[in-house]
Amino acid sequence: NAGVTQTPKFQVLKTGQSMTLQCAQDMNHEYMSWYRQDPGMGLRLIHYSVGAGITDQGEVPNGYNVSRSTTEDFPLRLLSAAPSQTSVYFCASSYSRGALNTEAFFGQGTRLTVV
Amino acid sequence: KNEVEQSPQNLTAQEGEFITINCSYSVGISALHWLQQHPGGGIVSLFMLSSGKKKHGRLIATINIQEKHSSLHITASHPRDSAVYICAVGRPGGGSEKLVFGKGTKLTVNP
């Protein structure tokens, strides 16, 4: 099993450009999430999904869009990149077990620089 | 004040030493996660616990729900244990899709 796969690993964008960060998992997990990691801060939740067709905002959603058309894929779209979106982005997935936590699986991260 | 606080922020140890990393949280939780992040690498789940204690090899995680505190212990530390260790909590009523993270503890183990 590949687990959680993120592409690309590295990306440089110019201010105002748009792009999509890809995330795919092959574990049939219902839950998928996007986090960003910035120096001196803990990971922060951008958007999450509890199943195909269902998404919701996290702590820092502004400037990002998501959709979940299949269980496997959860792309993150940057609409108009800004230098403040320079960060390392992690996708995570986990099983649904009602209100119980299950182990979270993370991708290798995408390092994005906006110039 | 952050909902999840870790201490220390940085920790340097000699090979073989016993290491403790602490995590305190200020909100109700459904579970607490300990994660490991190697330099330039992804994040790996070490433990998920909601009560008591768990052990995996040289790693031990404990949690005290009443005191809202968890510890991660590493026995007989080795240079390959050098990494950032991250504490995260899941909120009551939710699964692991909305974790709240501490800032991490950077551990360096010297040979």
Side-chain angles (χ1 to χ4, degrees), chain A residues 31-33 35 37 40-45 47-50 57 88 90 94-95 98-109 111, chain B residues 9 30-33 35 37 40-46 48 84 86 89-104:
Chain A
Y31 294 164
M32 295 186 75
S33 310
Y35 297 93
Q37 185 178 40
M41 304 184 75
L43 279 80
R44 293 180 293 167
L45 181 65
H47 285 284
Y48 67 96
S49 170
V50 298
Q57 296 182 350
V88 181
F90 286 96
S94 57
Y95 284 113
L100 298 177
N101 274 210
T102 57
E103 182 182 0
F105 293 79
F106 290 80
Q108 289 296 303
R111 185 173 294 273
Chain B
Q9 282 188 311
S30 53
L32 185 140
H33 301 247
L35 310 162
Q37 184 176 26
I43 298 169
V44 176
S45 175
L46 297 175
M48 186 187 69
V84 176
I86 301 170
V89 300
R91 296 290 188 83
S96 299
E97 78 281 14
K98 292 185 290 184
L99 297 178
V100 179
F101 293 78
K103 294 181 181 181

Side-chain angles (χ1 to χ4, degrees), chain B residues 52-100:
Chain B
K53 175 180 173 178
K54 287 191 176 181
K55 184 174 189 288
H56 181 68
R58 296 180 294 106
L59 301 178
I60 302 166
T62 65
I63 188 169
N64 185 318
I65 297 295
Q66 287 72 30
E67 294 187 4
K68 295 186 176 177
H69 181 268
S70 175
S71 293
L72 177 69
H73 305 286
I74 304 175
T75 62
S77 60
H78 190 276
R80 65 175 175 266
D81 297 325
S82 297
V84 176
Y85 292 85
I86 301 170
C87 172
V89 300
R91 296 290 188 83
S96 299
E97 78 281 14
K98 292 185 290 184
L99 297 178
V100 179

